[in-house]
Amino acid sequence: SDGQVLTSTGAGSPPAFEAAGSDYVKIQTTTLGSGTAAWSVDGWIDGSTYKAYAIYVYNFSHADNGSWVQGRWNISGSTHTGTDYSYCVAQAHSGGSIDATQEASQSYWRIATNSTTTSKSLSGQIILYDPTNTSFFHGHTQVFFGYDGTTNFISTAGGGVLRSTSALTGITFFSSAGGDITAGSTVTIYGIKG
């Protein structure tokens, strides 16, 4: 049957079809219906079931050509804007340059630069580690690809930490220049069991 696997029921008895288990489980897909200056995707973190999360971003763009897509974590359903984010991001451009950006004590972290050309949208992945553990600061890693606002393809890799032990509940995306995140941007989230 669909979604089941054949398993052994013990020596001398016939095998049976049972529900397949997984340590990597799709939680939700959300597509932005209309443009907004800050897009919050909240309420998907369940620390009793998952230890980490894979956040996939597809066809992402905003209204500010060449500006950075930035992120903030949510605490208790609200965007955390305190100056306790630190991050490092390296971004390679197909035109031959490589940028490295690192900052501490910021109210955001940088993800990647972005083009407003629809066919040059941003996509990638963020891995968030143990976001409900209140004994440790919260870290993530990220990899993205897209365009830098010109004709250059970009690839970024990096990570960051929120120097807070408050449990996280979600993520908020926004543009460094203040323009809207574009309708059609999509986020899919998977939980990873520990």
Side-chain angles (χ1 to χ4, degrees), residues 79-167:
T79 304
H80 179 73
T81 59
T83 56
D84 42 13
Y85 293 91
S86 296
Y87 69 90
C88 300
V89 175
Q91 181 166 272
H93 302 252
S94 62
S97 65
I98 298 176
D99 306 328
T101 303
Q102 61 281 330
E103 294 183 295
S105 302
Q106 298 298 310
S107 62
Y108 59 86
W109 86 87
R110 287 187 168 170
I111 295 173
T113 56
N114 184 236
S115 172
T116 55
T117 304
T118 303
S119 62
K120 297 179 178 179
S121 62
L122 183 68
S123 295
Q125 175 188 51
I126 300 168
I127 303 292
L128 172 62
Y129 303 94
D130 209 4
T132 60
N133 189 326
T134 57
S135 297
F136 302 97
F137 292 163
H138 303 295
H140 74 275
T141 56
Q142 63 189 42
V143 291
F144 279 84
F145 70 92
Y147 283 81
D148 65 3
T150 65
T151 58
N152 291 316
F153 170 81
I154 57 101
S155 179
T156 68
V161 65
L162 172 61
R163 295 182 319 280
S164 169
T165 57
S166 297

Side-chain angles (χ1 to χ4, degrees), residues 22-119:
S22 178
D23 288 339
Y24 194 80
V25 179
K26 183 177 178 181
I27 296 172
Q28 74 180 52
T29 294
T30 303
T31 300
L32 187 59
S34 60
T36 184
W39 183 24
S40 179
V41 183
D42 198 72
W44 43 267
I45 294 177
D46 174 6
S48 65
T49 305
Y50 306 108
K51 293 292 277 184
Y53 295 85
I55 305 162
Y56 293 96
V57 177
Y58 305 97
N59 306 321
F60 204 90
S61 65
H62 57 67
D64 305 307
N65 197 47
S67 297
W68 285 88
V69 173
Q70 298 184 151
R72 292 180 172 133
W73 296 114
N74 297 351
I75 297 173
S76 299
S78 297
T79 304
H80 179 73
T81 59
T83 56
D84 42 13
Y85 293 91
S86 296
Y87 69 90
C88 300
V89 175
Q91 181 166 272
H93 302 252
S94 62
S97 65
I98 298 176
D99 306 328
T101 303
Q102 61 281 330
E103 294 183 295
S105 302
Q106 298 298 310
S107 62
Y108 59 86
W109 86 87
R110 287 187 168 170
I111 295 173
T113 56
N114 184 236
S115 172
T116 55
T117 304
T118 303
S119 62

